[in-house]
Each structure stands twice: as structure tokens, then as C-alpha cells.
């Protein structure tokens, strides 16, 4: 297949591009490289050194013999360039990673909230409009998030996107199926919730074929393909805005930094290894909906864990200490999370769960590049409200100069 990978320079997009290229698909990465500009804005870089996307593609061709094409297009701002590219190239599938992906970043300030909405919603809507305008009957696979469901204590398993409900009518009770009610916990999660509505409309109105993957928190760094050459290494975010919780714990342990647990650590989250992420994309591509079918929604996760349990696991494995800090997020201190993921299991996914060897692999990568860590960028300091911002702990190591007067 000819596949367009939107956001293919990112944490999930790059290893997915390599994985699909390795399977023999013709891969075209479309990206505006905004994630690299955000590194510059925040003053923090990937723990692993990343070459330019052009250099990465060159090394992949030398290593594998397969070519990945790169196109610099801003999906949110350059609709006509996107439309014309789709009209000319007519890919069989479009994988949509091209959204600002960090909840903390989306909450830093009014500017960051506006940017996240403008970038994410415009990119998704421009893509859908361009597919309709060009008559492109490609399978659109979108990387969403488990966070659209919110983190409640309802206690019942979260279904894959749709909920059977009973409605009281004058003629009696009537059954119907609705989208599972969203309860986003950040501006970022809100954009993913809005994406769902856009997909529903264009699927029913124009027959766009969409699979929406509600993904858990990704951990790990490398896949079989990124391990082939040092310059193919995937990015590794350790900072408080973009570092995912388990990867942050493993990096903190590697540099002898306290494992920062916010609040009680009773927040339960869904997780998936990066190798399973790329495998799930492959499986979703093989199970495309037919034109006119409703949006397919898969819960793309393999296991759930409480944050404090993960911290204790990493502490036991590495000898790191745990620091309990005020929570910058507005969320319940404890929650349950029961999730159905029958679809991917039914398609043949053999899940990778928390394995000591894979955890140690991440620690080793972090130790190898520990000299690239800016310790000041490790804490989570982006707060959800002004009141929470006043309680944020910016010095978990206790190294701030203190007055003796």
C-alpha cells in the first residue's frame, strides 16, 4: 500500500513509519516538524540524539534498502497544499499522528491552549475536508487517546467507543447505541474528544472510512527497526511536559533523581509498549471499515497500573527513592480503570506487558545519554489552574538555595 504517515517524525510516528516500510509499504511522511520547534521553545531536547528527518530517512534507506519520502506540510495551516498532495499521490491509507500530544503542554498558558486547539482540530478537519474534496477513498487511521473517557470510578469496563443505552420514550423503553460520554481532563484530551465528533460526521455524511485508536500511555523507546542503526533511534522525552510517566520514572532512576509521584499516586492509567503501538497500527490497517460503516474504535492498550505501583516497581528494580509531591493536575486522587481491548486481541495482538528486561533496556538507554539531561527540566510544573500552580514543587531534589536569615 501507499501510506501517508502524518506526524511521522514523532515519538509514535517514526517507529510506525519504519515498521510499515519494513513490511514493504510505500511510506510518505508528512510533518511540519513542530515537535522539534517545541523542543527549542521549552529549552529541552530528546534524551536520545535525533538527526534531521532527511538524515533519518537516508540512513533507513542505507540500512533497509527501502525509501521513506518526506514532505514538509503544515496540515493545520496549509490546507490547499495538503489537498493538492492527496489529489496527486492518492494514498491507500492515511495514518494521522499529527497533533500536539502532551496534556501538560496544552495547559501551560492561554497561548498553549489556543495553539493546541488550533493545531489539532484544524489539522484533523483539514484532512477530512481534503479527503472528501479529492474523492479519496483512503482508510484513515487516527491515533486518539484513552483520556477521552476521563478517569472515573464508575467501576464498569470501558467499552470500545460505543455504549448501549436505554431511552425512555412515550412508547416505552428504546435501546440505542451512543458514543461513550467523553470527560476530557485537559485541553489536549478535549481536542481528541472533538476529533471523535468530526469523524462521526464525515463517516455518516461522506462515507469517509475511519478507525480511531484510543491509545494508552506509551512506554519504551526502541522497536526492532529503530535498533538497526544508532541514527534511527526513537526520540525519548524525559521532561515534565512531554515525558510519559513510566519513561520518566525509568529516566529519573537512571540519573539518580527521585521518582516524582504527584498526589497520592492512586491514578490508574492504561499503558502500551511502543512495539505494540506499531503492531496495532499494522493490524488496524488490515481491518479497514467499508465505505458507509460507522467509525471503528479500538482501545489500544495492553494493561493498567496505578502510578504509585509503577514507582514502587521501578524503585525496587533500581534502588531509586520516591518523592510524593503536590499534583499540578486537576483530577481525582484515586480512580479505577477497567478497559476492554477485545478487538486487537481478536485480530491477533500478543501484548507486551511490563517485563523487567524491557524496563532495564529503557534505564540503560537513559544511562547512556544521561549527560544530555537538564535536571531542571525533569519536574512537572505545568499546572491546570492558577491555584494549583501556587503549590507546584519545582525543586524535588532540594537543591534550591535556602535563606539562613
Amino acid at each position: 500500500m501507499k501510506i501517508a504517515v502524518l506526524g511521522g517524525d514523532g515519538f509514535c510516528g517514526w517507529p510506525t513509519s519504519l515498521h510499515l516500510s519494513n513490511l514493504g509499504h510505500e511510506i510518505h511522511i508528512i510533518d511540519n516538524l513542530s515537535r522539534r520547534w517545541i523542543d527549542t521553545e521549552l529549552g529541552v531536547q530528546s534524551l536520545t540524539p535525533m538527526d534531521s528527518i532527511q538524515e533519518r530517512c537516508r540512513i533507513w534507506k542505507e540500512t533497509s534498502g527501502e525509501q521513506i519520502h518526506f514532505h514538509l506540510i503544515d496540515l493545520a495551516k496549509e490546507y490547499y497544499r495538503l489537498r493538492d498532495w492527496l489529489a496527486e499521490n492518492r494514498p491507500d491509507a492515511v495514518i494521522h499522528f499529527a497533533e500536539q500530544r502532551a496534556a501538560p503542554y496544552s495547559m501551560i498558558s492561554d497561548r498553549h491552549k489556543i495553539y493546541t486547539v488550533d493545531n489539532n482540530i484544524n489539522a484533523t478537519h483539514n484532512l477530512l475536508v481534503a479527503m472528501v474534496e479529492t474523492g479519496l477513498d483512503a482508510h484513515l487511521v487516527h491515533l486518539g487517546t484513552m483520556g477521552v473517557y476521563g478517569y472515573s470510578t464508575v467501576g464498569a469496563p470501558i467499552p470500545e467507543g460505543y455504549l448501549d443505552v436505554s431511552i425512555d420514550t412515550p412508547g416505552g423503553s428504546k435501546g440505542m447505541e451512543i458514543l461513550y460520554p467523553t470527560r476530557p481532563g485537559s485541553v489536549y484530551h478535549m481536542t481528541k474528544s472533538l476529533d471523535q465528533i468530526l469523524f462521526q460526521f464525515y463517516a455518516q455524511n461522506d462515507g469517509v472510512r475511519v478507525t480511531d485508536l484510543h491509545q494508552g500511555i506509551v512506554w519504551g523507546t526502541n522497536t526492532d527497526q529503530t535498533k538497526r542503526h544508532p541514527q534511527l533511534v526513537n526520540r525519548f522525552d524525559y521532561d515534565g511536559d512531554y515525558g510519559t510517566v513510566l519513561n520518566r520514572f525509568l529516566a529519573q532512576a537512571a540519573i539518580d533523581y527521585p521518582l516524582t509521584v504527584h498526589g497520592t499516586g492512586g491514578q490508574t492509567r492504561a499503558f502500551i509498549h511502543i512495539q505494540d503501538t506499531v503492531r496495532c497500527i499494522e493490524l488496524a490497517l488490515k481491518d479497514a471499515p467499508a465505505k458507509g460503516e460507522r467509525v471503528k474504535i479500538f482501545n489500544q492498550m495492553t494493561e493498567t497500573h496505578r502510578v504509585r505501583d509503577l514507582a514502587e516497581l521501578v524503585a525496587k528494580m533500581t534502588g531509586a527513592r520516591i518523592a510524593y509531591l503536590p499534583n499540578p493536575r486537576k483530577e481525582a486522587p484515586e480512580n479505577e480503570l477497567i478497559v476492554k481491548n477485545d478487538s486487537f486481541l481478536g485480530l491477533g495482538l500478543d501484548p507486551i506487558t511490563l517485563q523487567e528486561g524491557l524496563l532495564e533496556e529503557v534505564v540503560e538507554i537513559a544511562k547512556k545519554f544521561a549527560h544530555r539531561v537538564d535536571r531542571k527540566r525533569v519536574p512537572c510544573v505545568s499546572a491546570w489552574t492558577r491555584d494549583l500552580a501556587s503549590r507546584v514543587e519545582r525543586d524535588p531534589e532540594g537543591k534550591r538555595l535556602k535563606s539562613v536569615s
Side-chain angles (χ1 to χ4, degrees):
M1 286 194 293
K2 180 188 289 187
I3 303 174
V5 183
L6 315 183
D9 187 45
F11 174 53
C12 293
W14 176 244
T16 298
S17 298
L18 298 187
H19 179 76
L20 295 176
S21 176
N22 190 62
L23 293 174
H25 299 293
E26 179 184 334
I27 303 301
H28 293 258
I29 289 176
I30 297 178
D31 204 304
N32 67 351
L33 306 182
S34 60
R35 182 65 189 88
R36 294 176 184 253
W37 286 106
I38 289 173
D39 279 345
T40 302
E41 175 204 346
L42 296 178
V44 64
Q45 60 187 345
S46 165
L47 183 64
T48 50
M50 290 170 53
D51 285 314
S52 70
I53 183 62
Q54 293 89 345
E55 180 69 2
R56 292 169 115 184
C57 292
R58 184 185 71 80
I59 294 296
W60 174 245
K61 186 172 183 181
E62 281 190 0
T63 304
S64 68
E66 303 291 339
Q67 183 170 0
I68 292 178
H69 309 269
F70 170 66
H71 312 274
L72 182 66
I73 302 175
D74 189 323
L75 305 180
K77 296 179 180 178
E78 298 180 309
Y79 165 76
Y80 295 103
R81 288 192 64 210
L82 169 63
R83 184 198 63 184
D84 293 348
W85 188 91
L86 291 174
E88 179 181 350
N89 290 275
R90 308 199 73 80
D92 303 296
V94 178
I95 304 173
H96 180 17
F97 295 107
E99 295 178 271
Q100 192 291 106
R101 69 171 178 83
Y105 182 85
S106 77
M107 303 299 289
I108 292 175
S109 71
D110 53 356
R111 178 174 68 83
H112 295 84
K113 293 174 183 178
I114 291 168
Y115 168 76
T116 299
V117 171
D118 285 350
N119 182 79
N120 292 7
I121 300 304
N122 283 342
T124 297
H125 191 241
N126 284 351
L127 172 62
L128 290 164
V129 173
M131 291 177 70
V132 172
E133 184 67 19
T134 57
L136 180 65
D137 183 29
H139 178 201
L140 171 56
V141 178
H142 173 255
L143 193 72
T145 172
M146 287 292 303
V148 299
Y149 299 124
Y151 297 104
S152 67
T153 55
V154 67
I158 294 175
E160 298 199 273
Y162 299 96
L163 182 66
D164 292 322
V165 298
S166 179
I167 304 294
D168 292 330
T169 73
S173 180
K174 180 181 179 181
M176 65 181 299
E177 189 179 61
I178 63 171
L179 273 178
Y180 192 91
T182 63
R183 194 175 181 183
S186 71
V187 168
Y188 157 74
H189 291 106
M190 181 181 69
T191 64
K192 295 291 191 176
S193 299
L194 295 172
D195 283 342
Q196 287 192 114
I197 304 301
L198 291 172
F199 296 141
Q200 296 292 323
F201 174 77
Y202 281 97
Q204 71 185 23
N205 192 69
D206 298 286
V208 178
R209 298 184 295 125
V210 182
T211 298
D212 197 9
L213 306 176
H214 291 178
Q215 179 164 261
I217 295 170
V218 183
W219 67 282
T221 299
N222 280 318
T223 61
D224 292 341
Q225 288 75 43
T226 65
K227 292 176 183 176
R228 291 189 186 179
H229 191 283
Q231 288 175 272
L232 296 176
V233 67
N234 200 19
R235 72 174 298 128
F236 187 126
D237 297 303
Y238 66 87
D239 62 289
D241 285 317
Y242 274 89
T244 58
V245 61
L246 182 52
N247 273 7
R248 279 197 302 106
F249 284 164
L250 295 167
Q252 288 169 343
I255 64 170
D256 194 26
Y257 195 101
L259 310 184
T260 51
V261 175
H262 296 90
T264 66
Q267 307 93 335
T268 304
R269 299 289 190 258
F271 292 87
I272 185 169
H273 191 274
I274 187 66
Q275 292 186 96
D276 277 344
T277 290
V278 302
R279 175 68 173 140
C280 284
I281 299 292
E282 175 194 347
L283 293 172
L285 286 171
K286 294 177 178 178
D287 193 50
K291 193 176 183 67
E293 280 189 33
R294 72 177 189 180
V295 176
K296 280 193 175 183
I297 299 178
F298 296 162
N299 289 337
Q300 187 165 303
M301 50 74 65
T302 54
E303 56 190 327
T304 60
H305 296 280
R306 291 190 188 277
V307 171
R308 63 170 172 258
D309 295 338
L310 290 177
E312 289 168 2
L313 173 67
V314 175
K316 181 178 179 181
M317 185 181 81
T318 64
R321 69 180 181 88
I322 301 174
Y324 285 87
L325 307 175
N327 193 350
R329 300 188 182 213
K330 189 174 183 178
E331 62 183 351
E334 308 268 337
N335 74 279
E336 300 169 355
L337 188 63
I338 308 169
V339 184
K340 288 186 176 179
N341 64 341
D342 300 337
S343 293
F344 275 128
L345 296 179
L347 291 174
L349 179 67
D350 183 14
I352 296 171
T353 54
L354 294 188
Q355 300 171 14
E356 189 163 322
L358 288 172
L359 293 170
E360 289 175 349
E361 176 184 301
V362 178
V363 173
E364 288 304 311
I365 291 171
K367 285 180 177 178
K368 179 179 179 180
F369 297 108
H371 60 282
R372 293 172 56 85
V373 172
D374 180 349
R375 301 177 82 93
K376 298 190 298 297
R377 307 304 305 179
V378 173
C380 299
V381 298
S382 298
W384 266 228
T385 67
R386 288 192 180 96
D387 181 55
L388 291 171
S390 66
R391 307 177 211 165
V392 166
E393 174 56 68
R394 298 175 180 273
D395 184 32
E397 291 188 284
K399 291 187 175 182
R400 184 187 298 117
L401 292 175
K402 297 176 175 61
S403 173
V404 295
S405 60

